[in-house]
Amino acid sequence: MKTQSKQKNTKKIILKLTLGFIIGISFGFGVGKMVKSNSRLVNSIETTLQQNCNCELIKSENSFAGIQFSKEDGFSNTKLDFTLMNCNFTSSAEKEVNRLNDILTNEVENYDSVDLITFNFKSENQIQSVKIKDGKIL
C-alpha cells in the first residue's frame, strides 16, 4: 500500500512540475515577444522623430510596457518618454507636439497602441514637457 501511495505522490509531483514548466515557458515567450515588439515601436518612433524634427538630439528615455498607474496620468499599458534636445520650432511646444503626433499617427505602425507619451523639450535655459494620452494633449 505504501509503495502505491508513494508512486501516486511522485506522479502528482511530476505532473505539477511539468505543468509549471509549460506555463513558465509560455509566459516567458509571451513576455519576450512583448518586449521585442515594444522595442521595435520605440525605435520606429525615434527614427520618425529624427526625420521630422529640427533637433540636435532625440533619444528615448524610458519605455514601459504593462499595466501602470500614477495619480497624475491614471492607468496606462504603454508609456514612452522622449527627450528632444535644442529643437528649433517657430510655434509653441504644444503645437509642435500636435504636429509630431499627427506625423507619428500616419507613419508609425501600432502608434495608436501607445497610451501615454511624453515629449521633453530641453534647451540650455528651459525644459518643457508635453504629454499625449490616447492621442490627446494633456
Side-chain angles (χ1 to χ4, degrees), residues 5 25 27-28 32-33 39 43-44 47-48 53 58 71 75 81 100 103-104 108 130 132:
S5 67
I25 292 294
F27 181 75
K33 189 174 182 179
S39 177
N43 289 338
S44 180
T47 302
T48 303
C53 288
I58 298 171
K71 288 181 181 178
F75 283 99
D81 293 332
L100 293 174
I103 291 169
L104 292 171
V108 176
V130 181
I132 297 176

Side-chain angles (χ1 to χ4, degrees), residues 27-90:
F27 181 75
F29 277 120
V31 169
K33 189 174 182 179
M34 182 180 68
V35 167
K36 188 175 181 180
S37 172
N38 190 43
S39 177
R40 259 189 261 136
L41 177 63
V42 170
N43 289 338
S44 180
I45 290 172
E46 194 170 349
T47 302
T48 303
L49 288 174
Q50 288 173 350
Q51 293 171 350
N52 292 289
C53 288
N54 188 12
C55 300
E56 285 182 16
L57 177 67
I58 298 171
K59 62 181 177 177
S60 171
E61 291 293 324
N62 296 314
S63 170
F64 302 103
I67 298 172
Q68 301 133 65
F69 176 77
S70 76
K71 288 181 181 178
E72 92 182 30
D73 298 326
F75 283 99
S76 62
N77 285 326
T78 306
K79 181 179 177 184
L80 304 175
D81 293 332
F82 289 95
T83 300
L84 297 90
M85 302 285 288
N86 298 325
C87 295
N88 293 327
F89 50 88
T90 57

